[in-house]
Amino acid sequence: MPQYEGQKKLAAIKKLAEGKDAEIGVAWMEGNAMHSMNNERLYPLMSVFKLHVAVALLKDMERRGAAVDTTLNITPEQMRKDTYSPLMKLHPDGRFSITLPQLIRYAIAESDNNAADILIAMAGGIDSVDREIHAMGIKDCHLSETEATMYEAPINSYANWSKPESVVWLLRKLYDGRLLSGEYDRCIKQALAATTTGADKIKAGLSQGMTLAHKTGTGFRMADGTKMADNDAGVVTMPDGRQVAIAILIKDSKMSDADNARLMAEITKIILGDERE
């Protein structure tokens, strides 16, 4: 994409964001060109951090030569009832067996909080996840909270932050094959492609023939009506095979969930504008 086209799109996005009662961070990358708006700010990742968790765990497993296709025996102690967890609904007693790829799929595609915290424990804790991500050369992000600690004190969600360009770099390196290989790479990409959440966000901005592999993140809404975060980040594959990595992070929004989602879809349309013609 020529640089001037990127600047033209940035100007359109800035105009769209004017007057919106929220902090809006956007970044996208096609080829070697990175474009971003409000990248100097720190945005709570919310469930987008599950992408970081899964990549960090799989990277550690690949380094150790541990097989992805393994079965885990989950116990009630690992499953909280007071959280969003499709797995808990399927297994009310909290005791079941599941393969690791299935667990990652629940964490990513279904945004299961219990699945995410089990993966964090397998990775050696959230601090280990943070170190692994930084060791991959992904800067301008910080992870110190689990789903459990964010639920216990929602304000903790702000401690799991990233700049938009950082999320795009993680996606770009992942889809360029620079982070994982073989079964480890397939596992995370299959989960991202299967995501069911956020159909009204980036996905709603695609046109025919485009596909999306992504991870969403939805924050708590505080007593005054402010939503801590509303996020979507992923890789759009064009009909001709070209890929565009996009991250849209909305912080402290006074808008409705529907308005946040609509804004993400409209921003996506602008980013992909030239490719739609």
Side-chain angles (χ1 to χ4, degrees):
M1 180 198 307
Q3 189 67 21
Y4 75 89
E5 289 292 348
Q7 294 304 318
K8 198 165 77 173
K9 291 178 180 182
L10 260 181
I13 292 170
K14 287 177 181 177
K15 186 174 181 180
L16 181 65
E18 281 178 8
K20 299 292 191 296
D21 201 351
E23 289 186 35
I24 303 160
V26 180
W28 78 93
M29 192 172 191
E30 180 186 356
N32 294 320
M34 173 75 82
H35 303 279
S36 62
M37 180 184 80
N38 296 331
N39 188 62
E40 71 282 358
R41 302 177 187 175
L42 312 181
Y43 300 82
L45 283 166
M46 303 312 301
S47 285
V48 173
F49 95 117
K50 292 168 181 170
L51 165 64
H52 298 64
V53 168
V55 170
L57 173 61
L58 288 166
K59 184 66 175 179
D60 176 62
M61 292 180 67
E62 182 175 15
R63 188 169 51 244
R64 293 185 288 108
V68 170
D69 191 17
T70 184
T71 299
L72 309 170
N73 296 315
I74 307 302
T75 65
E77 292 73 27
Q78 295 171 285
M79 298 290 291
R80 288 169 42 237
K81 294 184 178 180
D82 58 348
T83 192
Y84 178 75
S85 179
L87 276 172
M88 195 73 220
K89 290 182 179 180
L90 279 175
H91 308 282
D93 64 351
R95 191 181 299 278
F96 58 95
S97 295
I98 189 171
T99 67
L100 180 59
Q102 288 173 330
L103 189 67
I104 288 175
R105 186 171 176 132
Y106 269 99
I108 299 292
E110 303 287 342
S111 210
D112 190 295
N113 292 339
N114 281 322
D117 279 353
I118 292 170
L119 294 176
I120 290 170
M122 290 180 65
I126 194 64
D127 291 342
S128 294
V129 171
D130 188 60
R131 285 193 298 270
E132 190 75 68
I133 291 296
H134 284 94
M136 296 176 189
I138 307 300
K139 303 175 182 178
D140 295 327
C141 63
H142 175 75
L143 301 176
S144 61
E145 307 302 319
T146 64
E147 287 291 350
T149 62
M150 286 189 283
Y151 179 85
E152 290 161 9
I155 197 69
N156 289 342
S157 303
Y158 287 103
N160 276 3
W161 57 262
S162 179
K163 294 182 178 181
E165 286 186 13
S166 177
V167 181
V168 168
W169 274 118
L170 177 59
L171 289 165
R172 175 61 185 272
K173 288 188 173 186
L174 177 64
Y175 277 79
D176 278 357
R178 287 183 276 171
L179 299 184
L180 301 166
S181 62
E183 60 178 336
Y184 312 94
D185 188 61
R186 285 192 298 275
C187 180
I188 184 64
K189 288 178 179 175
Q190 286 172 356
L192 288 165
T195 291
T196 59
T197 58
D200 54 352
K201 296 180 178 181
I202 288 177
K203 196 168 190 177
L206 306 186
S207 61
Q208 189 171 7
M210 298 179 185
T211 60
L212 175 68
H214 67 133
K215 184 71 198 82
T216 58
T218 303
F220 300 94
R221 199 172 280 278
M222 295 182 278
D224 68 352
T226 302
K227 187 148 195 173
M228 290 182 173
D230 216 339
N231 307 323
D232 199 0
V235 172
V236 177
T237 300
M238 314 305 292
D240 63 3
R242 287 175 299 129
Q243 294 184 320
V244 184
I246 302 173
I248 305 173
L249 310 179
I250 300 178
K251 176 183 178 182
D252 294 340
S253 175
K254 295 290 178 76
M255 301 186 295
S256 69
D257 290 358
D259 285 342
N260 287 338
R262 191 176 303 111
L263 178 60
M264 290 187 226
E266 290 172 352
I267 289 171
T268 300
K269 289 176 185 177
I270 293 171
I271 292 171
L272 302 175
D274 286 352
E275 287 79 4
R276 293 159 154 281
E277 296 173 0

